[in-house]
Amino acid sequence: MNWPDLATVQAMDMADPLRACRARFTLPEGLIYLDGNSLGALPRDAPARVAAAVEEQWGSDLIASWNKHGWIEAPARLGARIAPLIGAGEDEVIVADSTSANLFKLITAACLAQPGRTTILTEPGNFPTDLYIAQGVAEVLPGRRVRTVPAGEMAAAIDGNTAVVVLTHVHYKTGAKLDMASLTAAAHAAGALILWDLSHSAGGVEVDLGGCDADLAVGCGYKYLNGGPGAPAFLYVARRWQERLRSPLTGWMGHKTPFDFGDDYAPAEGMKRFLCGTPPILGMAALDAGLDSFAGVTMAEVTAKSRSLSELLIAGIEQRCGEARFTLVTPRDPAARGSHVSVAHEHAWEICQALIAHGVVGDFRAPNVLRLGLTPLYTSHEDVWRAVEIIAAVMEAGAWRDPAYAARAAVT
Amino acid sequence: MNWPDLATVQAMDMADPLRACRARFTLPEGLIYLDGNSLGALPRDAPARVAAAVEEQWGSDLIASWNKHGWIEAPARLGARIAPLIGAGEDEVIVADSTSANLFKLITAACLAQPGRTTILTEPGNFPTDLYIAQGVAEVLPGRRVRTVPAGEMAAAIDGNTAVVVLTHVHYKTGAKLDMASLTAAAHAAGALILWDLSHSAGGVEVDLGGCDADLAVGCGYKYLNGGPGAPAFLYVARRWQERLRSPLTGWMGHKTPFDFGDDYAPAEGMKRFLCGTPPILGMAALDAGLDSFAGVTMAEVTAKSRSLSELLIAGIEQRCGEARFTLVTPRDPAARGSHVSVAHEHAWEICQALIAHGVVGDFRAPNVLRLGLTPLYTSHEDVWRAVEIIAAVMEAGAWRDPAYAARAAVT
């Protein structure tokens, strides 16, 4: 692709089948937000949805809301809404807790279901919480260990000792997308389970858990699902595994009959056994609004738009910012990446801060990566084009050398 | 106490040092809400606080809010706000996850810290999630078992094999309050740790974790702390134990340096090691407003008001509703109960439904208990007096016999 002029990218936006979706979000004026892969933007209806949960439900109907407003069914109801975005059945997904807690539930359950297999297999450089939780499981369950193998050697490394393979579908830093079908098949060929972390893919690119015959998955509510800061997460368990797995987090909401208040735990049927404590209703209201933004949209359209945006961004960085010597970290093959583009640069931190000051919000990932997220529902080709022009200008002027951009923040 | 006339109880309210606190809440007109022990009422400022988190923070400042609006420090900041309500140091409490998940963290950590001790000791009829989570820990950690002993026999049952004693300070059903000081001393005499579940006491009655030398505690954000439906919960670890305990839920937010994105887990210092996933910011905003309602209030005042209300309620049920043959479940000694009053009746379910229809909201706990919660910050003596008159009228007329009140709801 040759670097187009503005009129050309505006024509691309006019032809975009998702162009109407942008109006479903409130985006600050004058800001090009390329960080929806870290925190999705505010759905236009989220304030009213959350206010209704606070004022009409909590405030007016109080405790009766558990029945009257269906609070008790919110985890299953939202799970069923996420299911079609990830190729799952409506009864295979439930919303609960954090991604980290859900990883703990499913890795532990997978290990306990296969007592003869001792290894949790994952890749080095996976998202930290995936690695940390696997290590936590290995500390709790005697005889288990975590083994890390680069993704490219993973299929060959899965063996008769592997209890569960824990992989992130789209890598948080590089944006590389693993081949879910072939890696799932490799796990199954060795008799192992596979758990996919969809945090950086759900809502950003097509995912086909069912078609790939995946066993387990978890994912995040606050990135491409636009559920708000610290939104409740989700988990998926293939129907065939639901009755065979038990969550170690045996909280009362996962009980067969929680309101009998009996002394002995008995897991609920289906996905409800993977619930733990009382569901966070205000966060669920915001996530519900985030899921509304997918109304009438197919994940094939989302994927096509994501590719179109990332092709444009990569072309721009290479053709308009060539002097800046960015190194493309994300795979060049569009089929092998998710919906963000990462580039490496020795001064990525300062460049990221300078771009924010110039109205382009991406983020930094240690030690040297600048991430630029493309959210197909609200990022336009014009956004990408303008962002590239700003990056080019910032790099050409060396604006990032201003010492003001060197100070590190608590959260990067 | 003889049953007073309305003018007398109105005089009690006039003399109540907490009378101004009622205006800090939005309470529906015409409703006597005696269920704040299940879901606290809406703090007047909560809608604005949550709206600011949604619109100004998430909507306008987006990802920058983690630093700009202190989102990342919210768990520790809110923990420090809860600490004085429960007799803890500001660096001994943190807000995270659900009560159930926090129980799992601390019971597991206590067991792992004492490998030679195999028993988790608790009482039969404890709140189900406490029992279920203990059972879940015993399923995951080999060789551990859950032993239940009635509260009255607890002190004598703690022995050299007890890893941790798990008790609820105020019983969810009976309202009985255990003697935290003597039971903690009994646990320590046997070399065991003790974990207090404060779900039904924090914010409702005085708690002195420090004075009692308690080791561990968890509690709920949505009852007397008024944090909203499914609010984030809290956990407490005495300073002396913080560095010796490790959470099994080793999520990235509990890491020493989460934004270094390293591959190996290393626990944060202090309470942050008990964090797991990304904090639920919208729920935290509501909880913040809930904690504001304690401004300028001492827990001694809260306890005194709670006793005054419960004495009045018990007198009313016994003197005005004597024909109804309610059995008092809650201890008659005010020092031995929390801030709710429970009575047993064969038809408690139907009576509870009839009372709701007549504007008095309490709740039912299987198989035969009617619970009436008294929230010192917003329940008035007049509320209690009027509730008693309504209960007396409903019972005298047999209004609860209407078949409409027999239908069971999903959530009781």
Side-chain angles (χ1 to χ4, degrees), chain A residues 104-390:
Chain A
F104 185 87
K105 293 175 195 169
L106 295 186
I107 297 173
T108 302
C111 286
L112 290 175
Q114 299 170 101
R117 291 167 174 257
T118 59
T119 306
I120 302 162
L121 196 59
T122 184
E123 64 164 327
N126 195 348
F127 186 75
T129 222
D130 298 71
L131 291 161
Y132 302 160
I133 291 286
Q135 291 161 19
V137 173
E139 256 188 58
V140 172
L141 298 182
R144 267 64 164 208
R145 70 183 189 107
V146 179
R147 184 182 166 208
T148 59
V149 171
E153 301 162 30
M154 188 62 64
I158 307 169
D159 63 21
N161 208 20
T162 308
V164 57
V165 183
V166 179
L167 291 172
T168 299
H169 184 218
V170 171
H171 195 279
Y172 80 101
K173 188 146 61 178
T174 68
K177 189 173 73 174
L178 296 179
D179 183 338
M180 184 179 283
S182 74
L183 284 161
T184 299
H188 291 176
L193 271 74
I194 194 158
L195 189 170
W196 289 99
D197 184 339
L198 306 177
S199 291
H200 285 268
S201 41
V205 293
E206 251 177 323
V207 176
D208 189 7
L209 290 170
C212 294
D213 206 24
D215 303 299
L216 311 170
V218 298
C220 177
Y222 55 79
K223 297 178 185 293
Y224 297 106
L225 300 183
N226 310 305
F234 65 87
L235 64 168
Y236 155 92
V237 178
R239 218 168 278 120
R240 66 185 177 278
W241 279 107
Q242 291 176 11
E243 301 303 315
R244 284 190 277 171
L245 297 186
R246 286 173 71 110
S247 171
L249 296 183
T250 45
W252 71 312
M253 284 292 144
H255 194 276
K256 201 182 175 86
T257 53
F259 295 97
D260 285 357
F261 294 89
D263 273 9
D264 296 313
Y265 181 75
E269 280 173 34
M271 289 305 293
K272 284 188 181 167
R273 66 175 53 192
F274 299 102
L275 296 178
C276 180
T278 305
I281 296 302
L282 305 188
M284 296 234 173
L287 178 57
D288 214 8
L291 295 171
D292 284 348
S293 59
F294 287 88
V297 168
T298 69
M299 287 309 296
E301 289 168 330
V302 168
T303 305
K305 172 97 177 274
S306 167
R307 288 187 185 186
S308 178
L309 293 169
S310 58
E311 287 292 276
L312 182 65
L313 178 55
I314 292 170
I317 286 172
E318 298 192 329
Q319 295 173 39
R320 288 284 297 129
C321 316
E323 298 296 302
R325 276 174 287 186
F326 286 113
T327 308
L328 184 67
V329 171
T330 302
R332 198 170 293 275
D333 173 8
R337 64 178 181 248
S339 201
H340 68 272
V341 170
S342 296
V343 292
H345 192 289
E346 188 187 353
H347 297 288
W349 170 264
E350 293 87 340
I351 293 166
C352 181
Q353 302 315 304
L355 291 177
I356 292 170
H358 288 79
V360 177
V361 177
D363 63 20
F364 165 82
R365 283 296 172 262
N368 64 347
V369 168
L370 173 68
R371 291 197 310 183
L372 301 167
L374 306 164
T375 302
L377 295 186
Y378 54 77
T379 307
S380 66
H381 294 84
E382 183 170 339
D383 283 336
V384 172
W385 190 91
R386 291 188 184 278
V388 165
E389 293 299 327
I390 291 169

Side-chain angles (χ1 to χ4, degrees), chain A residues 38 40 58 63 67 104 125 129 132 135 139-140 142 222 229-230 246 249-250 252 255 261-263 265 278-279 281 411, chain B residues 38 40 58 63 67 104 125 129 132 135 139-140 142 222 229-230 246 249-250 252 255 262-263 265 278-279 281 365 411:
Chain A
S38 186
W58 175 16
I63 194 71
N67 294 310
F104 185 87
T129 222
Y132 302 160
Q135 291 161 19
E139 256 188 58
V140 172
Y222 55 79
R246 286 173 71 110
L249 296 183
T250 45
W252 71 312
H255 194 276
F261 294 89
D263 273 9
Y265 181 75
T278 305
I281 296 302
V411 179
Chain B
S38 186
W58 175 17
I63 194 70
N67 294 311
F104 185 86
T129 222
Y132 302 161
Q135 291 160 20
E139 254 187 59
V140 171
Y222 56 80
R246 285 172 73 110
L249 296 183
T250 46
W252 70 313
H255 193 277
D263 274 8
Y265 181 74
T278 305
I281 296 301
R365 282 297 172 263
V411 178

Side-chain angles (χ1 to χ4, degrees), chain B residues 314-329:
Chain B
I314 291 170
I317 287 172
E318 297 192 330
Q319 296 173 38
R320 288 285 296 129
C321 316
E323 298 295 303
R325 275 175 289 188
F326 286 114
T327 306
L328 184 66
V329 171

